[in-house]
Amino acid sequence: MNANEKFCQSCGMPLTDPDLLATEADGAKNADYCLYCYKDGAFVQDCTMEEMIDFCAPIWVREMPGMTEDAARAQMRAFFPQLKRWKQA
């Protein structure tokens, strides 16, 4: 992982395209989240980290050839607690 690479702080998706950025209520871009997780100043889904992993695991498997669902889940369980939305205060 590139240290300068930005990821959605909810689902971990790489934010490589400005069109993927979330929006605030006033329409301003939010660089912390993707448009699928955060829209118009609020999270799209009220979910737990484990529910987010359940949702994302099949996507990771589809997008990363050779990735198994168990491996995807293990990687997400290691990575997601570092993301802003899931960090424990």
Side-chain angles (χ1 to χ4, degrees), residues 7-82:
F7 296 92
C8 174
Q9 295 297 300
S10 177
C11 72
M13 181 173 79
L15 297 175
T16 54
D17 183 339
D19 290 339
L20 294 173
L21 295 179
T23 55
E24 294 295 347
D26 65 2
K29 293 288 187 181
N30 179 313
D32 287 337
Y33 300 103
C34 75
L35 59 90
Y36 304 111
C37 289
Y38 192 85
K39 185 177 182 178
D40 299 330
F43 287 109
V44 174
Q45 291 184 340
D46 181 20
C47 64
T48 65
M49 185 180 79
E50 199 59 36
E51 288 168 336
M52 181 62 75
I53 290 170
D54 288 343
F55 178 79
C56 292
I59 297 168
W60 279 36
V61 169
R62 183 181 72 231
E63 296 296 320
M64 293 184 247
M67 173 76 65
T68 66
E69 190 160 322
D70 285 344
R73 287 177 182 279
Q75 286 184 24
M76 284 184 263
R77 286 191 184 110
F79 180 51
F80 280 21
Q82 300 170 42

